[in-house]
């Protein structure tokens, strides 16, 4: 073992001994960090799922034009043909009432809703898919305008408004998460910093002696930074564990309810990258907390 | 055993008298220290301590003995004057350079300053830890120095299971394990019985015979007489007496 390796070993040993000797306050700091990260992580999962759904819906965003009842098939084909020439339109598909009914059954599974009805209430329609770059409010407006004057069209369902609203909601959740995360992070920071301050105080004798025999600033301070960082890392890993257990326990019973929002897609947990950021965030939080405590430390003898 | 003294050439403060031996490891030039404005703990002190020299520092309580020793390992900075220790000027030393100076100075206190939660071996080894001394070498050197103070068999014990004299021997071992060029002791026997006092003082005096500059603050007149070393008496922060060694050995 050379000197650098020995010093690194000693810094870690001091940090681990320090954590062990202040197990109670250290655990409190770990739990605080974990709570912060669980909340941030829960919001991340929520937003992630909302965005995933937006992408799916956005991907097959269709404008649906409903035909008047009793319109004959040839006339409907002619209208479909003229819609297909509108700028930005990618594809036009005709959906018969029977097809519409089959699809409703398939996507919702809500047979009961339809059972009481004697005849199929769903009208024939055109599903108009836009080119990706035209899937905007303006693109939708253009198709709307082209269809407006046409005879035989009963109404339009755009979907876009709903999607815009949903995207706004997802953004709102994200900002709420960031705001709440920031507030919690500050309180976690203060608790870690306080824990480290106590640790410094309780080890003053040792620090004095080390300083007396020529310990450098690094040698005295790095163990405390390590302690904070280890607390943060542990808090981060604990948060991931709690989130995962919560995810499993929570999503299973409400899967049917969720399917209304998510369609056939399974709700997803944190992505690997997101989980890594969460743990890293914990480590950074812990390190900053101890850095704050150290910045208020006057040092030892001399 | 003592490394060659680095030349200090241009680092000598300008305008200061050079009548002192300019190869001495510890030199003080017109040093004053005041903790409170208007009062002096040290007042215009100029002293020089040679290699291998053992010096007693005496004087009544509050005379400034502790302040003088502290200023030599940069626990206090002088308010005025210059202090050269092993070629470094304490008055101008940057904070980051202090650890490097302290690694070449051993310090012993009246209250031992041992960590109760660590073994004897670990307490002594702390002085090697800060240098990053590899574990095996750390244990070997710690063993050697504990043997020198006669405590190698107690190395795995904790300080509180040792007598006061033994604890001070551990503290001396810690101060000596880096083979310092300067050894400072502040009332090292103040807490000990007379028989133990001689045992401890002999260990400290041994360091001087190996070339270390040794400065011991003490109230104990009989000790001073017994050793017959150079003795500096402080009163009110001033040097009132600096009597050379009588040549009487202990
Ligand atoms: N940290 C301090 N702040 C203020 N005044 C101090 C401080 N340390 C020492 N003094 C004062 O400086 C003077 C010299 O103190 P010092 O401790 O050097 O004396 P001493 O000779 O070691 O005394 P003793 O024999 O009692 O140990 C005293 O008047 C003391 O009150
Ligand atoms: Mg004193």
């Amino acid at each position: 073992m050379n000197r650098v390796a020995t010093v690194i070993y000693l810094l870690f040993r001091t940090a681990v001994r320090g954590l062990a000797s202040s197990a109670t306050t250290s655990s409190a700091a770990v739990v605080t960090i974990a709570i912060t990260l669980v909340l941030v992580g829960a919001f991340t999962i929520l937003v992630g799922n909302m965005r995933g759904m937006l992408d799916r819906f956005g991907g097959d965003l269709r404008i649906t034009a409903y035909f008047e009842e009793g319109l004959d098939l040839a006339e409907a084909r002619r209208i479909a043909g003229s819609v297909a020439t509108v700028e930005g339109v990618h594809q036009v598909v005709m959906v018969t009432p029977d097809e519409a009914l089959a699809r409703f059954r398939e996507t919702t599974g809500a047979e009961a809703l339809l059972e009481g009805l004697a005849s199929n209430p769903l009208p024939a329609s055109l599903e108009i898919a836009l080119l990706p770059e035209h899937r905007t409010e303006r693109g939708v407006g253009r198709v709307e305008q082209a269809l407006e004057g046409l005879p035989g069209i009963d109404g339009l369902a755009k979907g876009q408004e709903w999607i815009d609203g949903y995207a706004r909601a997802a953004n709102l959740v994200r900002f709420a998460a960031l705001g709440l995360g920031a507030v919690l992070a500050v309180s976690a920071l203060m608790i870690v910093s306080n824990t480290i301050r106590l640790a410094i105080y309780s080890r003053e004798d040792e620090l004095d002696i080390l300083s007396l025999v020529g310990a450098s600033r690094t040698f005295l301070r790095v163990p405390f930074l390590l302690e904070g960082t280890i607390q943060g890392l542990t808090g981060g890993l604990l948060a991931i564990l709690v989130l995962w257990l919560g995810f499993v326990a929570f999503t299973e019973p409400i899967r049917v309810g969720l399917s209304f929002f998510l369609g056939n897609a399974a709700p997803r947990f944190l992505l690997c990258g997101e989980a890594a950021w969460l743990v890293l965030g914990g480590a950074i939080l812990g390190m900053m907390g101890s850095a704050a405590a150290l910045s208020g430390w006057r040092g030892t003898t001399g | 055993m003592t490394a060659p003294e680095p030349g200090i050439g241009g680092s000598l403060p300008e305008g200061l008298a050079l009548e002192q031996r300019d190869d001495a490891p510890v030199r003080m030039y017109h040093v004053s220290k005041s903790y409170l404005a208007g009062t002096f703990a040290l007042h215009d002190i100029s002293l020089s301590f040679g290699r291998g020299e053992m010096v007693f520092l005496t004087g009544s309580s509050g005379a400034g003995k502790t302040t003088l020793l502290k200023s030599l390992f940069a626990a206090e900075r002088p308010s005025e004057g210059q202090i050269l220790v092993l070629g470094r000027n304490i008055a101008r030393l940057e904070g980051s350079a202090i650890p490097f100076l302290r690694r070449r100075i051993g310090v012993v206190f009246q209250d031992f300053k041992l960590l109760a939660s660590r073994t004897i071996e670990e307490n002594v080894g702390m002085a090697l830890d800060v240098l990053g001394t590899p574990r095996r070498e750390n244990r070997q050197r710690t063993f050697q120095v504990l043997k020198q103070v006669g405590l190698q068999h107690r190395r795995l014990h904790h300080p509180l299971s040792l007598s006061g004299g033994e604890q001070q021997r551990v503290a001396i071992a810690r101060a000596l394990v880096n083979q310092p060029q300067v050894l400072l002791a502040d009332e090292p026997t103040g807490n000990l019985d007379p028989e133990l006092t001689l045992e401890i003082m002999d260990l400290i005096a041994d360091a001087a015979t190996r070339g270390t500059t040794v400065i011991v603050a003490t109230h104990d007149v009989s000790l001073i007489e017994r050793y017959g070393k150079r003795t500096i008496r402080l009163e009110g922060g001033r040097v009132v007496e600096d009597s050379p060694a009588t040549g009487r050995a202990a």
Side-chain angles (χ1 to χ4, degrees):
Chain A
M1 256 207 300
N2 66 19
R3 284 179 191 266
V4 175
T6 304
V7 167
I8 292 171
Y9 161 76
L10 289 171
L11 294 176
F12 272 96
R13 191 183 71 175
T14 307
V16 170
R17 278 182 176 174
L19 285 169
S21 71
S22 60
T24 317
T25 51
S26 297
S27 313
V30 167
V31 169
T32 316
I33 291 176
I35 290 171
T36 305
L37 296 175
V38 163
L39 282 160
V40 171
F43 275 113
T44 306
I45 293 173
L46 184 60
V47 172
N49 281 297
M50 287 176 86
R51 310 213 117 232
M53 179 166 60
L54 277 181
D55 290 345
R56 278 192 299 281
F57 276 93
D60 49 41
L61 169 62
R62 281 167 167 68
I63 300 169
T64 310
Y66 295 104
F67 289 119
E68 284 168 3
E69 231 173 306
L71 190 73
D72 83 43
L73 215 59
E75 181 63 8
R77 289 237 167 74
R78 205 185 53 73
I79 292 174
S82 73
V83 170
T85 64
V86 175
E87 189 194 349
V89 170
H90 172 54
Q91 201 184 24
V92 180
V93 177
M94 232 172 73
V95 181
T96 65
D98 287 346
E99 282 167 346
L101 183 64
R103 210 185 283 175
F104 183 78
R105 286 205 170 109
E106 190 187 312
T107 54
T108 65
E111 303 278 351
L113 281 178
L114 300 171
E115 241 147 49
L117 298 168
S119 66
N120 182 356
L122 300 172
S125 61
L126 283 181
E127 279 186 356
I128 304 156
L130 298 176
L131 292 166
E133 62 271 25
H134 289 278
R135 285 172 196 158
T136 60
E137 266 175 271
R138 190 185 299 175
V140 173
R142 204 165 11 237
V143 174
E144 211 178 346
Q145 239 175 1
L147 287 171
E148 217 156 57
L150 291 176
I153 300 289
D154 191 29
L156 282 181
K158 286 174 289 181
Q160 184 68 31
E161 283 153 17
W162 181 79
I163 288 203
D164 284 348
Y166 195 77
R168 268 194 294 277
N171 267 339
L172 205 68
V173 171
R174 202 157 53 128
F175 280 119
L178 283 177
L180 191 63
V183 171
L184 287 167
V186 168
S187 64
L189 209 68
M190 276 159 51
I191 290 190
V192 173
S193 158
N194 226 35
T195 308
I196 300 296
R197 222 188 311 275
L198 285 176
I200 294 172
Y201 186 73
S202 73
R203 297 212 313 257
E204 227 156 34
D205 285 351
E206 179 184 345
L207 294 169
D208 275 343
I209 293 169
L210 283 170
S211 165
L212 199 70
V213 296
S216 64
R217 230 179 115 80
T218 307
F219 199 89
L220 295 175
R221 287 166 194 252
V222 167
F224 294 107
L225 284 179
L226 287 174
E227 274 182 48
T229 309
I230 292 171
Q231 286 173 2
L233 274 177
T234 314
L237 293 172
L238 187 64
I240 301 287
L241 181 71
V242 168
L243 282 168
W244 193 76
L245 291 175
F247 181 79
V248 171
F250 183 70
T251 52
E252 204 42 55
I254 63 163
R255 169 149 283 170
V256 177
L258 281 176
S259 70
F260 278 107
F261 294 97
L262 300 176
N264 290 329
R268 72 160 179 80
F269 188 58
L270 293 169
L271 303 174
C272 277
E274 292 168 340
W277 272 111
L278 220 53
V279 175
L280 189 70
I284 290 172
L285 214 57
M287 188 156 51
M288 280 170 47
S290 39
L294 285 169
S295 74
W297 180 44
R298 72 187 159 72
T300 57
T301 329
Chain B
M1 183 158 284
T2 312
E5 188 58 25
I8 49 145
S11 71
L12 256 185
E14 262 180 70
L16 289 174
L18 291 175
E19 76 274 14
Q20 303 187 25
R21 286 163 299 174
D22 65 2
D23 63 337
V26 178
R27 279 165 284 163
M28 305 175 74
Y29 298 92
H30 304 294
V31 172
S32 293
K33 170 72 185 181
S34 74
Y35 291 104
L36 298 165
T39 68
F40 287 96
L42 296 179
H43 202 157
D44 193 24
I45 291 190
S46 294
L47 288 170
S48 170
F49 302 89
R51 190 175 303 143
E53 186 175 31
M54 174 156 174
V55 182
F56 284 111
L57 204 56
T58 188
S60 54
S61 182
K65 305 179 292 295
T66 297
T67 303
L68 193 154
L69 291 180
K70 277 184 165 179
S71 72
L72 298 183
F73 64 94
E76 297 290 352
R77 304 285 189 128
S79 310
E80 274 171 60
Q82 314 291 332
I83 301 176
L84 291 171
V85 178
L86 301 170
R88 307 273 162 180
N89 189 336
I90 304 268
R92 299 192 214 143
L93 202 60
E94 277 180 38
S96 59
I98 291 176
F100 297 96
L101 177 69
R102 289 190 182 161
R103 292 171 193 180
R104 301 163 71 197
I105 302 176
V107 189
V108 176
F109 299 91
Q110 179 171 0
D111 62 356
F112 322 137
K113 293 201 192 300
L114 299 175
L115 278 183
S117 60
R118 305 287 169 83
T119 62
I120 300 309
E121 182 179 69
E122 286 174 323
N123 268 283
V124 174
M126 282 170 84
L128 295 169
D129 284 346
V130 302
L131 301 170
T133 308
R135 310 309 298 154
R136 173 198 289 265
E137 184 188 338
N138 188 324
R139 264 194 303 276
Q140 284 167 349
R141 286 174 58 184
T142 300
F143 184 88
Q144 283 310 316
V145 77
L146 280 173
K147 200 163 146 192
Q148 203 177 311
V149 302
L151 285 173
Q152 75 277 15
H153 59 291
R154 306 296 298 272
R155 66 186 182 282
L156 298 180
H157 293 196
H158 285 77
L160 294 183
S161 68
L162 269 56
S163 72
E166 287 170 332
Q167 289 185 51
Q168 191 60 299
R169 274 149 66 190
V170 173
I172 291 170
R174 182 181 62 200
L176 294 178
V177 71
N178 269 324
Q179 303 177 339
Q181 285 153 278
V182 176
L183 177 63
L184 308 173
D186 195 356
E187 319 258 9
T189 58
N191 280 352
L192 305 176
D193 297 338
E195 323 84 84
L196 293 174
T197 293
L198 291 184
E199 175 187 303
I200 293 300
M201 204 50 74
D202 282 348
L203 284 173
I204 291 173
D206 278 351
T209 65
R210 291 191 301 266
T212 300
T213 301
V214 178
I215 307 174
V216 182
T218 182
H219 283 120
D220 191 336
V221 179
S222 68
L223 201 63
I224 293 170
E225 285 174 353
R226 184 181 181 102
Y227 280 82
K229 301 289 187 185
R230 176 181 170 197
T231 303
I232 294 165
R233 178 179 300 279
L234 297 178
E235 282 315 327
R238 292 175 190 270
V239 175
V240 294
E241 182 194 330
D242 185 348
S243 48
T246 60
R248 258 187 301 165

